[in-house]
Amino acid sequence: MEPTSESSNAGAQKNLPLEQLMQKVAEHKGCGTSGAGGKASCGSSAGQGDLAPEIWEKVKNHPCYSEEAHHHYARMHVAVAPACNIQCNYCNRKYDCANESRPGVVSEKLTPEQAAKKVLAVASTIPQMTVLGIAGPGDPLANPQKTFKTFELIAKAAPDIKLCLSTNGLALPDHVDTIKSFNVDHVTITINMIDPEVGQHIYPWIFWKHKRVTGKDAARILTERQLEGLEMLTAAGILCKVNSVMIPGINDRHLVEVNKAVKSRGAFLHNIMPLISAPEHGTVFGLNGQRGPSAQELKALQDSCEGEMNMMRHCRQCRADAVGLLGEDRSAEFTTEKIMQMDVQYDAEGRKAYQQQVEQERQATVAAKEAELADLMSEFSDIKVLIAVATKGHGRINEHFGHAQEFQIYEVGTAGSKFVGHRRVDLYCQGGYGEEDTLPTVIRAINDCVAVFVAKIGGCPKDSLKAAGIDPVDQYAHEFIEQSAVRYFKEYLAKVKSGEIVHVARGDADIRQGAYIAA
Amino acid sequence: MAYKIINSQCTACAACEPECPNNAIREKDGTFIIKPEKCTECIGYFDDPQCVAVCPVENTCVIDNSVPRYQAAV
Ligand code: SF4
Ligand code: SF4
Ligand code: SF4
């Protein structure tokens, strides 16, 4: 075959230094299938908890579910299933499925053949890409032929890639057998209610048995089908995660009951995401002024459910197609047109070697944190602080304050450190443009943190951060995040004890509205 | 004798295509169209026109007044 200019480009990308590739994707750890992120917190950090041993085995190194693993592996989505069988008030299907509450982003619709080729092209370029998801726009199970055809093609060409899908659950009970036969790794169901009284305010209608059903009837059918599907997955031994969109005033308190209901039916993780809603999304909630939760409200709800089961807090509602994973600048290299002309060689061996290397790095991060924690164990204090971190991934503090598109938030106390979420911010430093305007946005997004760890920071933002009571810290540049967080916390405690500083609870922070595009 | 799709409103989600009992709907130039000679308004199959019931955008699948209403054969 005559090499086209595109395919030689593809070859050139493959030769990019790994370091560079890793940087580009490191920010997109796997996980949730979804939009804009001001997440307040993360999952399996509590360890095995109440998970059954066989589930823990499957989950502990899983890029989507293990808090540590998701800092090192990545996942991509393909949009092959645009049709949907229900309507959600937070979705405008002119744009993407907000199953994952990410309205406002249009993604490319692909045929199963195009999707499979795209996955192989991306996986060959990015060895950490280990999970493929089919989510929105639309419902994968309202488009079963397209969804399963895509799975079939990928399972054949790249058996090492894990498959997953997200669904609203309406059609789920009809497809559990097929899902099982494709060895699908895990299924995500979006369950926002278990009470039709609540549901009628979230779902205007469903398409059911050749009719459009509305109101409480629609919500009742939907919840019955969702819970039935969940029970069937559990019985079939397929991992099942539940996503819920937190809609203040509509289902916020109710989600505690949802948490109990899904846990008792075998869901191993519950991911509560903030509603992202703005008038320009054109959704019902966007237009009627329904607000999303603040960072503190979200975290409070996640905390109140945490005792019940593992909560997933690292979901950053990323954009569902692989563009997020590739970064804006690279998405242009993987357009349908270019992919169709590429001569894709799937390098299974190279991927394996690379993943082994990542695994070593991951273990080093964990070891460093544990070593640092060892002598904190003897201390006890009620004080817990949040720290924002600018990072490109690899578990290190390696991003310039001005270049960070988001901050990772860690909570540290004498019991240890844990990752509790992401806060998205606008690019603060865009060639000097608009700096005065964006700095306050950044500060609002991390206002609940005592410190921000960066690789580098300019004098001006440093002063503004200090004035806002946030300590800008660059002394841990390029070190491991959690190890540094624990070290910082030790010093913080010491200063509080000596009276040098007074510990005060920080205020709330903003969840930024709008879809998460670059990752 | 048929329904039509208002082109400018269609999101091309393809939800209607497989629901049509008469295979009257297909994709054309990035949007979906109904072949009027095939559409029976779902009469003889379902109580409601399926394309209307499944379409996410209100008033996108509508009666096409430029052709006479469908008459079921007696
Ligand atoms: S399930 Fe997804 S695509 Fe369907 S209406 Fe809800 S958010 Fe939109
Ligand atoms: S009204 Fe019925 S027959 Fe006519 S196009 Fe729609 S689905 Fe097909
Ligand atoms: S269901 Fe509506 S929006 Fe979707 S393709 Fe058909 S006419 Fe277009």
Side-chain angles (χ1 to χ4, degrees):
Chain A
M1 184 178 137
E2 194 74 32
T4 62
S5 60
E6 281 80 5
S7 61
S8 43
N9 269 345
Q13 292 156 23
K14 270 187 227 163
N15 298 333
L16 276 181
L18 277 181
E19 185 66 357
Q20 213 170 317
L21 283 179
M22 284 165 64
Q23 283 191 358
K24 301 216 165 165
V25 286
E27 274 312 298
H28 182 284
K29 300 88 198 200
C31 83
T33 37
S34 21
K39 307 328 293 295
S41 308
C42 190
S44 34
S45 55
Q48 184 165 349
D50 48 9
L51 287 184
E54 65 276 13
I55 295 182
W56 177 244
E57 257 324 293
K58 280 195 194 173
V59 170
K60 71 175 185 207
N61 284 336
H62 197 291
C64 297
Y65 302 129
S66 155
E67 179 200 337
E68 283 143 32
H70 94 273
H71 294 282
H72 299 270
Y73 294 107
R75 133 177 187 174
M76 73 179 278
H77 290 94
V78 285
V80 292
C84 190
N85 46 14
I86 69 172
Q87 182 64 52
C88 305
N89 278 337
Y90 48 77
C91 178
N92 172 351
R93 269 178 286 139
K94 283 232 182 241
Y95 303 108
D96 254 2
C97 169
N99 209 345
E100 288 75 48
S101 79
R102 318 161 273 99
V105 187
V106 186
S107 61
E108 199 180 26
K109 288 164 193 165
L110 302 168
T111 65
E113 290 73 20
Q114 289 169 331
K117 196 156 179 203
K118 181 168 185 173
V119 171
L120 297 183
V122 172
S124 303
T125 312
I126 298 170
Q128 306 89 318
M129 205 295 281
T130 52
V131 180
L132 169 81
I134 300 186
D139 186 76
L141 298 178
N143 301 257
Q145 297 85 356
K146 291 177 188 164
T147 297
F148 293 126
K149 181 74 193 167
T150 308
F151 281 166
E152 186 191 318
L153 293 170
I154 291 165
K156 218 184 277 167
D160 65 317
I161 293 180
K162 291 178 169 40
L163 305 172
C164 67
L165 67 87
S166 300
T167 175
N168 61 39
L170 183 63
L172 180 57
D174 304 336
H175 299 288
V176 171
D177 289 345
T178 322
I179 291 170
K180 176 95 185 155
S181 74
F182 277 104
N183 204 13
V184 169
D185 184 80
H186 61 276
V187 173
T188 303
I189 317 176
T190 301
I191 300 183
N192 297 321
M193 54 88 207
I194 50 167
D195 179 355
E197 289 290 339
V198 176
Q200 63 180 333
H201 302 296
I202 305 173
Y203 305 102
W205 57 264
I206 65 171
F207 182 70
W208 176 246
K209 299 206 162 148
H210 301 290
K211 289 212 173 285
R212 179 174 283 207
V213 182
T214 58
K216 277 187 256 182
D217 289 339
R220 184 182 41 75
I221 296 167
L222 183 61
T223 180
E224 282 169 11
R225 296 283 288 177
Q226 289 173 331
L227 297 179
E228 184 189 348
L230 171 57
E231 285 170 7
M232 288 172 73
L233 288 172
T234 303
I238 300 164
L239 284 183
C240 186
K241 178 186 101 191
V242 171
N243 272 354
S244 299
V245 179
M246 177 181 181
I247 311 162
I250 292 187
N251 71 349
D252 44 349
R253 275 179 227 157
H254 180 62
L255 286 179
V256 177
E257 284 166 55
V258 171
N259 181 267
K260 289 189 185 123
V262 301
K263 183 196 176 188
S264 70
R265 288 171 177 80
F268 78 100
L269 256 181
H270 187 194
N271 175 29
I272 297 179
M273 313 185 295
L275 171 73
I276 305 294
S277 136
E280 62 271 24
H281 299 151
T283 61
V284 172
F285 284 152
L287 295 171
N288 75 8
Q290 172 64 50
R291 71 173 180 94
S294 73
Q296 214 163 59
E297 288 171 327
L298 178 65
K299 186 167 184 296
L301 177 61
Q302 288 173 327
D303 287 346
S304 71
C305 293
E306 191 151 67
E308 294 296 327
M309 76 189 294
N310 290 271
M311 296 296 297
M312 173 163 161
R313 302 188 186 221
H314 58 249
C315 170
R316 61 237 305 254
Q317 297 180 308
C318 35
R319 187 170 165 174
D321 59 353
V323 176
L325 178 137
L326 295 166
E328 287 247 75
D329 46 337
R330 308 215 51 198
S331 60
E333 300 161 15
F334 290 94
T335 60
T336 312
E337 207 184 321
K338 290 184 178 169
I339 283 168
M340 287 307 114
Q341 294 177 34
M342 280 183 194
D343 184 15
V344 179
Q345 301 288 335
Y346 190 70
D347 177 12
E349 281 306 306
R351 284 173 53 81
K352 202 167 155 197
Y354 187 83
Q355 286 164 14
Q356 274 164 0
Q357 186 189 324
V358 170
E359 193 54 30
Q360 282 172 3
E361 191 175 90
R362 188 163 87 77
Q363 282 162 6
T365 317
V366 177
K369 167 189 169 183
E370 272 161 16
E372 194 65 42
L373 264 177
D375 56 298
L376 190 62
M377 289 305 180
S378 52
E379 302 249 0
F380 181 79
S381 162
D382 282 344
I383 296 180
K384 277 187 186 165
V385 299
L386 295 180
I387 295 173
V389 182
T391 173
K392 297 172 181 166
H394 301 275
R396 291 182 188 265
I397 303 154
N398 52 8
E399 181 67 293
H400 189 298
F401 177 77
H403 297 165
Q405 296 180 331
E406 63 165 24
F407 290 90
Q408 294 187 355
I409 310 293
Y410 285 80
E411 185 178 75
V412 204
T414 46
S417 68
K418 79 176 173 179
F419 174 79
V420 294
H422 304 268
R423 299 286 164 71
R424 187 188 162 197
V425 294
D426 280 307
L427 276 183
Y428 168 58
C429 171
Q430 276 166 334
Y433 165 78
E435 294 200 1
E436 293 78 36
D437 300 324
T438 44
L439 187 54
T441 316
V442 177
I443 291 176
R444 272 201 304 277
I446 60 170
N447 184 46
D448 49 352
C449 300
V450 295
V452 55
F453 288 5
V454 296
K456 221 174 166 194
I457 183 167
C460 212
K462 221 175 194 175
D463 294 340
S464 308
L465 283 164
K466 279 187 194 151
I470 303 169
D471 186 11
V473 181
D474 54 9
Q475 80 196 74
Y476 303 119
H478 305 287
E479 310 257 328
F480 287 125
I481 296 169
E482 292 198 69
Q483 184 183 21
S484 309
V486 172
R487 202 177 292 163
Y488 180 88
F489 182 69
K490 284 184 201 165
E491 284 168 22
Y492 184 90
L493 267 192
K495 284 186 200 161
V496 171
K497 267 192 205 152
S498 71
E500 190 182 332
I501 50 172
V502 182
H503 176 72
V504 280
R506 305 275 314 164
D508 205 347
D510 273 0
I511 291 181
R512 193 176 171 281
Q513 304 287 295
Y516 191 91
I517 297 173
Chain B
M1 96 186 224
Y3 274 77
K4 66 174 178 184
I5 291 170
I6 309 231
N7 196 295
S8 59
Q9 304 218 75
C10 172
T11 67
C13 74
C16 52
E17 187 186 13
E19 300 302 335
C20 176
N22 293 308
N23 264 321
I25 307 176
R26 64 183 176 90
E27 191 167 2
K28 197 190 168 216
D29 303 330
T31 178
F32 282 74
I33 54 162
I34 294 172
K35 274 196 156 186
E37 61 279 15
K38 284 186 154 186
C39 171
T40 65
E41 302 175 10
C42 283
I43 290 166
Y45 298 93
F46 304 111
D47 296 344
D48 305 314
Q50 298 297 288
C51 52
V52 179
V54 78
C55 180
V57 192
E58 299 305 314
N59 304 318
T60 296
C61 303
V62 293
I63 292 278
D64 183 351
N65 286 318
S66 67
V67 290
R69 295 298 297 265
Y70 177 78
Q71 296 289 325
V74 227

PDB file of all heavy atoms in Angstrom, chain A residues 84 86-88 90-91 93 97-99 138 168, ligand 1:
ATOM      1  N   CYS A  84     -31.077   7.257  21.495  1.00  0.00           N
ATOM      2  CA  CYS A  84     -31.381   7.028  22.899  1.00  0.00           C
ATOM      3  C   CYS A  84     -32.852   6.685  23.037  1.00  0.00           C
ATOM      4  O   CYS A  84     -33.663   7.045  22.199  1.00  0.00           O
ATOM      5  CB  CYS A  84     -31.043   8.265  23.728  1.00  0.00           C
ATOM      6  SG  CYS A  84     -31.127   7.908  25.496  1.00  0.00           S
ATOM      7  N   ILE A  86     -34.548   7.235  26.078  1.00  0.00           N
ATOM      8  CA  ILE A  86     -35.182   8.041  27.120  1.00  0.00           C
ATOM      9  C   ILE A  86     -34.775   9.501  26.915  1.00  0.00           C
ATOM     10  O   ILE A  86     -33.915   9.798  26.088  1.00  0.00           O
ATOM     11  CB  ILE A  86     -34.759   7.609  28.560  1.00  0.00           C
ATOM     12  CG1 ILE A  86     -33.299   7.952  28.845  1.00  0.00           C
ATOM     13  CG2 ILE A  86     -35.005   6.122  28.770  1.00  0.00           C
ATOM     14  CD1 ILE A  86     -32.913   7.727  30.309  1.00  0.00           C
ATOM     15  N   GLN A  87     -35.377  10.387  27.681  1.00  0.00           N
ATOM     16  CA  GLN A  87     -34.931  11.777  27.670  1.00  0.00           C
ATOM     17  C   GLN A  87     -34.628  12.199  29.098  1.00  0.00           C
ATOM     18  O   GLN A  87     -35.435  11.966  29.996  1.00  0.00           O
ATOM     19  CB  GLN A  87     -36.015  12.678  27.065  1.00  0.00           C
ATOM     20  CG  GLN A  87     -35.611  14.145  26.983  1.00  0.00           C
ATOM     21  CD  GLN A  87     -34.427  14.373  26.058  1.00  0.00           C
ATOM     22  OE1 GLN A  87     -34.411  13.953  24.915  1.00  0.00           O
ATOM     23  NE2 GLN A  87     -33.396  15.016  26.573  1.00  0.00           N
ATOM     24  N   CYS A  88     -33.465  12.775  29.295  1.00  0.00           N
ATOM     25  CA  CYS A  88     -33.085  13.293  30.605  1.00  0.00           C
ATOM     26  C   CYS A  88     -33.103  14.818  30.547  1.00  0.00           C
ATOM     27  O   CYS A  88     -32.708  15.399  29.538  1.00  0.00           O
ATOM     28  CB  CYS A  88     -31.668  12.862  30.974  1.00  0.00           C
ATOM     29  SG  CYS A  88     -31.394  11.084  30.930  1.00  0.00           S
ATOM     30  N   TYR A  90     -31.147  16.804  31.838  1.00  0.00           N
ATOM     31  CA  TYR A  90     -29.824  17.436  31.786  1.00  0.00           C
ATOM     32  C   TYR A  90     -29.127  17.157  30.468  1.00  0.00           C
ATOM     33  O   TYR A  90     -27.939  17.361  30.326  1.00  0.00           O
ATOM     34  CB  TYR A  90     -28.948  16.984  32.967  1.00  0.00           C
ATOM     35  CG  TYR A  90     -28.919  15.484  33.205  1.00  0.00           C
ATOM     36  CD1 TYR A  90     -28.157  14.669  32.391  1.00  0.00           C
ATOM     37  CD2 TYR A  90     -29.653  14.919  34.235  1.00  0.00           C
ATOM     38  CE1 TYR A  90     -28.135  13.302  32.603  1.00  0.00           C
ATOM     39  CE2 TYR A  90     -29.638  13.557  34.454  1.00  0.00           C
ATOM     40  CZ  TYR A  90     -28.869  12.747  33.629  1.00  0.00           C
ATOM     41  OH  TYR A  90     -28.856  11.407  33.833  1.00  0.00           O
ATOM     42  N   CYS A  91     -29.880  16.649  29.520  1.00  0.00           N
ATOM     43  CA  CYS A  91     -29.272  16.275  28.244  1.00  0.00           C
ATOM     44  C   CYS A  91     -29.905  17.053  27.111  1.00  0.00           C
ATOM     45  O   CYS A  91     -31.107  17.238  27.062  1.00  0.00           O
ATOM     46  CB  CYS A  91     -29.488  14.791  27.996  1.00  0.00           C
ATOM     47  SG  CYS A  91     -28.838  14.198  26.428  1.00  0.00           S
ATOM     48  N   ARG A  93     -29.574  16.427  23.195  1.00  0.00           N
ATOM     49  CA  ARG A  93     -28.872  15.520  22.297  1.00  0.00           C
ATOM     50  C   ARG A  93     -28.397  16.134  21.008  1.00  0.00           C
ATOM     51  O   ARG A  93     -27.856  15.450  20.163  1.00  0.00           O
ATOM     52  CB  ARG A  93     -29.667  14.249  22.103  1.00  0.00           C
ATOM     53  CG  ARG A  93     -29.196  13.280  23.184  1.00  0.00           C
ATOM     54  CD  ARG A  93     -29.900  11.979  23.202  1.00  0.00           C
ATOM     55  NE  ARG A  93     -31.233  12.098  23.722  1.00  0.00           N
ATOM     56  CZ  ARG A  93     -32.266  11.469  23.195  1.00  0.00           C
ATOM     57  NH1 ARG A  93     -32.099  10.744  22.117  1.00  0.00           N
ATOM     58  NH2 ARG A  93     -33.441  11.569  23.747  1.00  0.00           N
ATOM     59  N   CYS A  97     -24.135  12.918  24.931  1.00  0.00           N
ATOM     60  CA  CYS A  97     -24.938  12.326  25.991  1.00  0.00           C
ATOM     61  C   CYS A  97     -24.466  12.900  27.299  1.00  0.00           C
ATOM     62  O   CYS A  97     -23.284  12.940  27.594  1.00  0.00           O
ATOM     63  CB  CYS A  97     -24.729  10.835  26.044  1.00  0.00           C
ATOM     64  SG  CYS A  97     -25.418  10.060  27.504  1.00  0.00           S
ATOM     65  N   ALA A  98     -25.391  13.336  28.083  1.00  0.00           N
ATOM     66  CA  ALA A  98     -25.012  13.817  29.395  1.00  0.00           C
ATOM     67  C   ALA A  98     -25.347  12.759  30.419  1.00  0.00           C
ATOM     68  O   ALA A  98     -25.440  13.020  31.592  1.00  0.00           O
ATOM     69  CB  ALA A  98     -25.700  15.112  29.715  1.00  0.00           C
ATOM     70  N   ASN A  99     -25.560  11.545  29.948  1.00  0.00           N
ATOM     71  CA  ASN A  99     -25.570  10.372  30.793  1.00  0.00           C
ATOM     72  C   ASN A  99     -24.514  10.615  31.845  1.00  0.00           C
ATOM     73  O   ASN A  99     -24.644  10.283  32.999  1.00  0.00           O
ATOM     74  CB  ASN A  99     -25.118   9.203  29.928  1.00  0.00           C
ATOM     75  CG  ASN A  99     -25.688   7.892  30.366  1.00  0.00           C
ATOM     76  OD1 ASN A  99     -26.204   7.767  31.458  1.00  0.00           O
ATOM     77  ND2 ASN A  99     -25.572   6.919  29.510  1.00  0.00           N
ATOM     78  N   GLY A 138     -25.963   9.232  23.355  1.00  0.00           N
ATOM     79  CA  GLY A 138     -26.942   8.179  23.151  1.00  0.00           C
ATOM     80  C   GLY A 138     -26.766   7.068  24.158  1.00  0.00           C
ATOM     81  O   GLY A 138     -25.975   7.174  25.082  1.00  0.00           O
ATOM     82  N   ASN A 168     -28.259   3.862  30.344  1.00  0.00           N
ATOM     83  CA  ASN A 168     -29.288   4.394  31.229  1.00  0.00           C
ATOM     84  C   ASN A 168     -30.095   3.251  31.843  1.00  0.00           C
ATOM     85  O   ASN A 168     -30.929   3.465  32.705  1.00  0.00           O
ATOM     86  CB  ASN A 168     -30.201   5.374  30.483  1.00  0.00           C
ATOM     87  CG  ASN A 168     -30.944   4.717  29.322  1.00  0.00           C
ATOM     88  OD1 ASN A 168     -31.393   3.577  29.407  1.00  0.00           O
ATOM     89  ND2 ASN A 168     -31.078   5.451  28.227  1.00  0.00           N
TER      90      ASN A 168
HETATM   91  S1  SF4 C   1     -29.504   8.596  28.604  1.00  0.00           S
HETATM   92 FE1  SF4 C   1     -27.847   9.885  27.860  1.00  0.00          FE
HETATM   93  S2  SF4 C   1     -28.346  10.350  25.718  1.00  0.00           S
HETATM   94 FE2  SF4 C   1     -30.179   9.543  26.674  1.00  0.00          FE
HETATM   95  S3  SF4 C   1     -31.245  11.398  27.291  1.00  0.00           S
HETATM   96 FE3  SF4 C   1     -30.120  10.671  29.069  1.00  0.00          FE
HETATM   97  S4  SF4 C   1     -28.203  11.772  29.016  1.00  0.00           S
HETATM   98 FE4  SF4 C   1     -29.141  11.971  26.987  1.00  0.00          FE
END
